[in-house]
Amino acid sequence: MVTEVRYLRVVLYTAERAWSHAMEKKTLPDGPNARQRGYLIGRLRKAVKWATLFQDLCSIKGDSRTSLEAELLKSAQMQHGLRFGDYARYRRYCTARLRRLYKSLKFTHGRGKYSKRAITASMVTEVRYLHVVLYTAERAWSHAMEKKTLPDGPNARQRGYLIGRLRKAVKWATLFQDLCSIKGDSRTSLEAEVC
C-alpha cells in the first residue's frame, strides 16, 4: 500500500524516464531502425503501464483536501535541504530538476547565446511544462531565502538582489496559477492558488 508520497514519486519518475527514453530513440538523426523501433514500442508500453499505475494510486490515495502536486513539492523540499533550512542545497536541486525538465521537453535555450523562450498556455501540452514554471518559482524563492539567512544578514546590495528574486518568484508563481486555471480543472486551479 502507498503510505508516503515518495512511492508515488518513484512511480511518476519511472513513467517519465521510460517515456523520455522512447522519445530519445524516436528522434535519432536517421530515425530508429527495426530493432530500435521494437525497443521504442516496449518503452512506450512501460510508460503507459507506469502512468496508469500512478493514476490509479493517486485516485486511491488522493482526497479533496490534499494536492498531489503540493505533496510532491513538500516532499522535495524536505528531502533536499529545507528540513534543515539549507536553502542553497534546495536551490541546487531545483536547478538540476529544471535542467532535466528542459532536456526531456527539448525546451533548451540555444547553444551559444541565451535566447529566451516563454511558456504560454498554448504550449502547455503536458504537466512537465507546469513543473518547469513551478520549479523556476521555487528556485527564485530559495535563492532569496538563502540571501536572507546569511550570518550577518543581507547588506544593502544583497537586499536589493533579494527583493528582485522574490519579485521573480511571485511572477513565476502567478504564471503557474494562470496556466493551471486555463489548462487544469477546478481542483488543480484551486490547489495552485493555495500553493
PDB file of all heavy atoms in Angstrom, residues 5-6 11 25 38 41 74-76 116 121 125 129 137 154 165-166 168 176 178:
ATOM      1  N   VAL A   5       4.367   9.813  -0.008  1.00  0.00           N
ATOM      2  CA  VAL A   5       4.384  10.435  -1.324  1.00  0.00           C
ATOM      3  C   VAL A   5       5.601  10.001  -2.120  1.00  0.00           C
ATOM      4  O   VAL A   5       5.551   9.944  -3.346  1.00  0.00           O
ATOM      5  CB  VAL A   5       4.359  11.972  -1.158  1.00  0.00           C
ATOM      6  CG1 VAL A   5       4.484  12.665  -2.487  1.00  0.00           C
ATOM      7  CG2 VAL A   5       3.089  12.380  -0.474  1.00  0.00           C
ATOM      8  N   ARG A   6       6.680   9.644  -1.450  1.00  0.00           N
ATOM      9  CA  ARG A   6       7.891   9.291  -2.190  1.00  0.00           C
ATOM     10  C   ARG A   6       7.679   8.054  -3.065  1.00  0.00           C
ATOM     11  O   ARG A   6       8.289   7.924  -4.113  1.00  0.00           O
ATOM     12  CB  ARG A   6       9.073   9.105  -1.263  1.00  0.00           C
ATOM     13  CG  ARG A   6       8.969   7.954  -0.329  1.00  0.00           C
ATOM     14  CD  ARG A   6      10.168   7.891   0.567  1.00  0.00           C
ATOM     15  NE  ARG A   6       9.882   6.950   1.629  1.00  0.00           N
ATOM     16  CZ  ARG A   6      10.774   6.505   2.444  1.00  0.00           C
ATOM     17  NH1 ARG A   6      12.006   6.911   2.346  1.00  0.00           N
ATOM     18  NH2 ARG A   6      10.456   5.653   3.379  1.00  0.00           N
ATOM     19  N   VAL A  11       7.005   6.086  -8.869  1.00  0.00           N
ATOM     20  CA  VAL A  11       6.178   5.618  -9.976  1.00  0.00           C
ATOM     21  C   VAL A  11       6.120   6.689 -11.074  1.00  0.00           C
ATOM     22  O   VAL A  11       6.269   6.386 -12.266  1.00  0.00           O
ATOM     23  CB  VAL A  11       4.761   5.252  -9.486  1.00  0.00           C
ATOM     24  CG1 VAL A  11       3.848   4.926 -10.644  1.00  0.00           C
ATOM     25  CG2 VAL A  11       4.828   4.085  -8.520  1.00  0.00           C
ATOM     26  N   LYS A  25      14.962   7.724 -28.524  1.00  0.00           N
ATOM     27  CA  LYS A  25      15.169   6.790 -29.636  1.00  0.00           C
ATOM     28  C   LYS A  25      14.397   7.238 -30.884  1.00  0.00           C
ATOM     29  O   LYS A  25      14.857   7.065 -32.002  1.00  0.00           O
ATOM     30  CB  LYS A  25      14.711   5.382 -29.253  1.00  0.00           C
ATOM     31  CG  LYS A  25      15.535   4.735 -28.186  1.00  0.00           C
ATOM     32  CD  LYS A  25      16.915   4.406 -28.677  1.00  0.00           C
ATOM     33  CE  LYS A  25      17.719   3.729 -27.581  1.00  0.00           C
ATOM     34  NZ  LYS A  25      19.130   3.726 -27.851  1.00  0.00           N
ATOM     35  N   GLY A  38      11.288  -1.579 -32.158  1.00  0.00           N
ATOM     36  CA  GLY A  38      10.722  -2.535 -31.202  1.00  0.00           C
ATOM     37  C   GLY A  38      11.006  -2.116 -29.766  1.00  0.00           C
ATOM     38  O   GLY A  38      10.135  -2.195 -28.898  1.00  0.00           O
ATOM     39  N   ILE A  41       8.779   0.889 -28.859  1.00  0.00           N
ATOM     40  CA  ILE A  41       7.405   0.481 -28.546  1.00  0.00           C
ATOM     41  C   ILE A  41       7.334  -0.145 -27.156  1.00  0.00           C
ATOM     42  O   ILE A  41       6.405   0.120 -26.383  1.00  0.00           O
ATOM     43  CB  ILE A  41       6.873  -0.484 -29.631  1.00  0.00           C
ATOM     44  CG1 ILE A  41       6.699   0.277 -30.945  1.00  0.00           C
ATOM     45  CG2 ILE A  41       5.566  -1.146 -29.206  1.00  0.00           C
ATOM     46  CD1 ILE A  41       6.434  -0.596 -32.140  1.00  0.00           C
ATOM     47  N   LYS A  74       6.256  19.487  -1.385  1.00  0.00           N
ATOM     48  CA  LYS A  74       6.627  19.465   0.031  1.00  0.00           C
ATOM     49  C   LYS A  74       7.641  18.361   0.300  1.00  0.00           C
ATOM     50  O   LYS A  74       8.607  18.552   1.043  1.00  0.00           O
ATOM     51  CB  LYS A  74       5.366  19.248   0.874  1.00  0.00           C
ATOM     52  CG  LYS A  74       5.532  19.575   2.319  1.00  0.00           C
ATOM     53  CD  LYS A  74       5.721  21.052   2.481  1.00  0.00           C
ATOM     54  CE  LYS A  74       5.556  21.455   3.909  1.00  0.00           C
ATOM     55  NZ  LYS A  74       5.966  22.827   4.112  1.00  0.00           N
ATOM     56  N   SER A  75       7.419  17.217  -0.321  1.00  0.00           N
ATOM     57  CA  SER A  75       8.353  16.106  -0.158  1.00  0.00           C
ATOM     58  C   SER A  75       9.723  16.457  -0.722  1.00  0.00           C
ATOM     59  O   SER A  75      10.755  16.166  -0.111  1.00  0.00           O
ATOM     60  CB  SER A  75       7.788  14.877  -0.864  1.00  0.00           C
ATOM     61  OG  SER A  75       8.731  13.847  -0.875  1.00  0.00           O
ATOM     62  N   ALA A  76       9.755  17.111  -1.896  1.00  0.00           N
ATOM     63  CA  ALA A  76      11.031  17.530  -2.493  1.00  0.00           C
ATOM     64  C   ALA A  76      11.739  18.532  -1.594  1.00  0.00           C
ATOM     65  O   ALA A  76      12.960  18.475  -1.412  1.00  0.00           O
ATOM     66  CB  ALA A  76      10.795  18.137  -3.873  1.00  0.00           C
ATOM     67  N   LYS A 116      15.681  33.695 -24.996  1.00  0.00           N
ATOM     68  CA  LYS A 116      14.562  33.496 -24.072  1.00  0.00           C
ATOM     69  C   LYS A 116      13.396  32.824 -24.785  1.00  0.00           C
ATOM     70  O   LYS A 116      13.038  33.205 -25.890  1.00  0.00           O
ATOM     71  CB  LYS A 116      14.123  34.848 -23.519  1.00  0.00           C
ATOM     72  CG  LYS A 116      13.061  34.751 -22.457  1.00  0.00           C
ATOM     73  CD  LYS A 116      12.752  36.101 -21.884  1.00  0.00           C
ATOM     74  CE  LYS A 116      11.681  35.972 -20.828  1.00  0.00           C
ATOM     75  NZ  LYS A 116      11.330  37.240 -20.241  1.00  0.00           N
ATOM     76  N   ALA A 121       0.135  29.427 -22.634  1.00  0.00           N
ATOM     77  CA  ALA A 121      -0.916  28.427 -22.413  1.00  0.00           C
ATOM     78  C   ALA A 121      -1.037  27.476 -23.596  1.00  0.00           C
ATOM     79  O   ALA A 121      -1.342  26.294 -23.429  1.00  0.00           O
ATOM     80  CB  ALA A 121      -2.248  29.119 -22.160  1.00  0.00           C
ATOM     81  N   THR A 125       1.236  21.267 -23.118  1.00  0.00           N
ATOM     82  CA  THR A 125       0.553  20.058 -23.566  1.00  0.00           C
ATOM     83  C   THR A 125       0.727  18.922 -22.574  1.00  0.00           C
ATOM     84  O   THR A 125       0.006  17.942 -22.631  1.00  0.00           O
ATOM     85  CB  THR A 125       1.103  19.614 -24.934  1.00  0.00           C
ATOM     86  OG1 THR A 125       2.516  19.476 -24.826  1.00  0.00           O
ATOM     87  CG2 THR A 125       0.759  20.628 -26.002  1.00  0.00           C
ATOM     88  N   TYR A 129       5.522  20.925 -18.420  1.00  0.00           N
ATOM     89  CA  TYR A 129       5.655  22.361 -18.662  1.00  0.00           C
ATOM     90  C   TYR A 129       5.253  23.143 -17.414  1.00  0.00           C
ATOM     91  O   TYR A 129       5.853  24.168 -17.084  1.00  0.00           O
ATOM     92  CB  TYR A 129       4.800  22.791 -19.853  1.00  0.00           C
ATOM     93  CG  TYR A 129       5.396  22.415 -21.189  1.00  0.00           C
ATOM     94  CD1 TYR A 129       4.903  21.345 -21.908  1.00  0.00           C
ATOM     95  CD2 TYR A 129       6.456  23.140 -21.721  1.00  0.00           C
ATOM     96  CE1 TYR A 129       5.441  20.997 -23.130  1.00  0.00           C
ATOM     97  CE2 TYR A 129       7.006  22.800 -22.942  1.00  0.00           C
ATOM     98  CZ  TYR A 129       6.501  21.724 -23.644  1.00  0.00           C
ATOM     99  OH  TYR A 129       7.049  21.386 -24.852  1.00  0.00           O
ATOM    100  N   ALA A 137       9.908  29.090 -10.025  1.00  0.00           N
ATOM    101  CA  ALA A 137       9.455  29.926  -8.900  1.00  0.00           C
ATOM    102  C   ALA A 137      10.120  29.471  -7.601  1.00  0.00           C
ATOM    103  O   ALA A 137      10.576  30.295  -6.792  1.00  0.00           O
ATOM    104  CB  ALA A 137       7.936  29.853  -8.777  1.00  0.00           C
ATOM    105  N   PRO A 154      21.582  40.295   5.202  1.00  0.00           N
ATOM    106  CA  PRO A 154      21.937  40.865   3.899  1.00  0.00           C
ATOM    107  C   PRO A 154      22.312  42.345   4.020  1.00  0.00           C
ATOM    108  O   PRO A 154      21.699  43.088   4.783  1.00  0.00           O
ATOM    109  CB  PRO A 154      20.655  40.691   3.084  1.00  0.00           C
ATOM    110  CG  PRO A 154      19.565  40.621   4.081  1.00  0.00           C
ATOM    111  CD  PRO A 154      20.155  40.016   5.321  1.00  0.00           C
ATOM    112  N   ARG A 165      14.763  38.765  -6.535  1.00  0.00           N
ATOM    113  CA  ARG A 165      14.481  37.333  -6.630  1.00  0.00           C
ATOM    114  C   ARG A 165      13.067  37.017  -6.136  1.00  0.00           C
ATOM    115  O   ARG A 165      12.388  36.153  -6.691  1.00  0.00           O
ATOM    116  CB  ARG A 165      15.505  36.514  -5.832  1.00  0.00           C
ATOM    117  CG  ARG A 165      16.902  36.565  -6.365  1.00  0.00           C
ATOM    118  CD  ARG A 165      16.997  36.162  -7.817  1.00  0.00           C
ATOM    119  NE  ARG A 165      16.719  34.753  -8.019  1.00  0.00           N
ATOM    120  CZ  ARG A 165      16.629  34.165  -9.206  1.00  0.00           C
ATOM    121  NH1 ARG A 165      16.802  34.851 -10.297  1.00  0.00           N
ATOM    122  NH2 ARG A 165      16.370  32.885  -9.303  1.00  0.00           N
ATOM    123  N   LEU A 166      12.616  37.712  -5.097  1.00  0.00           N
ATOM    124  CA  LEU A 166      11.245  37.494  -4.613  1.00  0.00           C
ATOM    125  C   LEU A 166      10.221  37.956  -5.652  1.00  0.00           C
ATOM    126  O   LEU A 166       9.191  37.307  -5.842  1.00  0.00           O
ATOM    127  CB  LEU A 166      11.020  38.206  -3.287  1.00  0.00           C
ATOM    128  CG  LEU A 166      11.655  37.535  -2.070  1.00  0.00           C
ATOM    129  CD1 LEU A 166      11.454  38.393  -0.833  1.00  0.00           C
ATOM    130  CD2 LEU A 166      11.083  36.151  -1.837  1.00  0.00           C
ATOM    131  N   LYS A 168      10.688  37.922  -8.838  1.00  0.00           N
ATOM    132  CA  LYS A 168      10.717  36.906  -9.885  1.00  0.00           C
ATOM    133  C   LYS A 168       9.931  35.663  -9.445  1.00  0.00           C
ATOM    134  O   LYS A 168       9.213  35.059 -10.243  1.00  0.00           O
ATOM    135  CB  LYS A 168      12.161  36.526 -10.196  1.00  0.00           C
ATOM    136  CG  LYS A 168      12.327  36.000 -11.583  1.00  0.00           C
ATOM    137  CD  LYS A 168      13.737  36.164 -12.027  1.00  0.00           C
ATOM    138  CE  LYS A 168      13.811  37.319 -12.974  1.00  0.00           C
ATOM    139  NZ  LYS A 168      14.968  37.412 -13.778  1.00  0.00           N
ATOM    140  N   PHE A 176       2.231  30.313 -13.011  1.00  0.00           N
ATOM    141  CA  PHE A 176       1.817  28.945 -12.694  1.00  0.00           C
ATOM    142  C   PHE A 176       0.329  28.889 -12.372  1.00  0.00           C
ATOM    143  O   PHE A 176      -0.397  28.027 -12.873  1.00  0.00           O
ATOM    144  CB  PHE A 176       2.644  28.415 -11.522  1.00  0.00           C
ATOM    145  CG  PHE A 176       2.269  27.032 -11.080  1.00  0.00           C
ATOM    146  CD1 PHE A 176       2.549  25.937 -11.867  1.00  0.00           C
ATOM    147  CD2 PHE A 176       1.629  26.825  -9.860  1.00  0.00           C
ATOM    148  CE1 PHE A 176       2.202  24.654 -11.476  1.00  0.00           C
ATOM    149  CE2 PHE A 176       1.284  25.556  -9.451  1.00  0.00           C
ATOM    150  CZ  PHE A 176       1.572  24.472 -10.260  1.00  0.00           C
ATOM    151  N   ASP A 178      -1.979  31.045 -13.302  1.00  0.00           N
ATOM    152  CA  ASP A 178      -2.763  31.334 -14.512  1.00  0.00           C
ATOM    153  C   ASP A 178      -2.829  30.121 -15.435  1.00  0.00           C
ATOM    154  O   ASP A 178      -3.891  29.793 -15.969  1.00  0.00           O
ATOM    155  CB  ASP A 178      -2.158  32.522 -15.267  1.00  0.00           C
ATOM    156  CG  ASP A 178      -2.268  33.820 -14.483  1.00  0.00           C
ATOM    157  OD1 ASP A 178      -3.089  33.880 -13.542  1.00  0.00           O
ATOM    158  OD2 ASP A 178      -1.526  34.766 -14.803  1.00  0.00           O
TER     159      ASP A 178
END
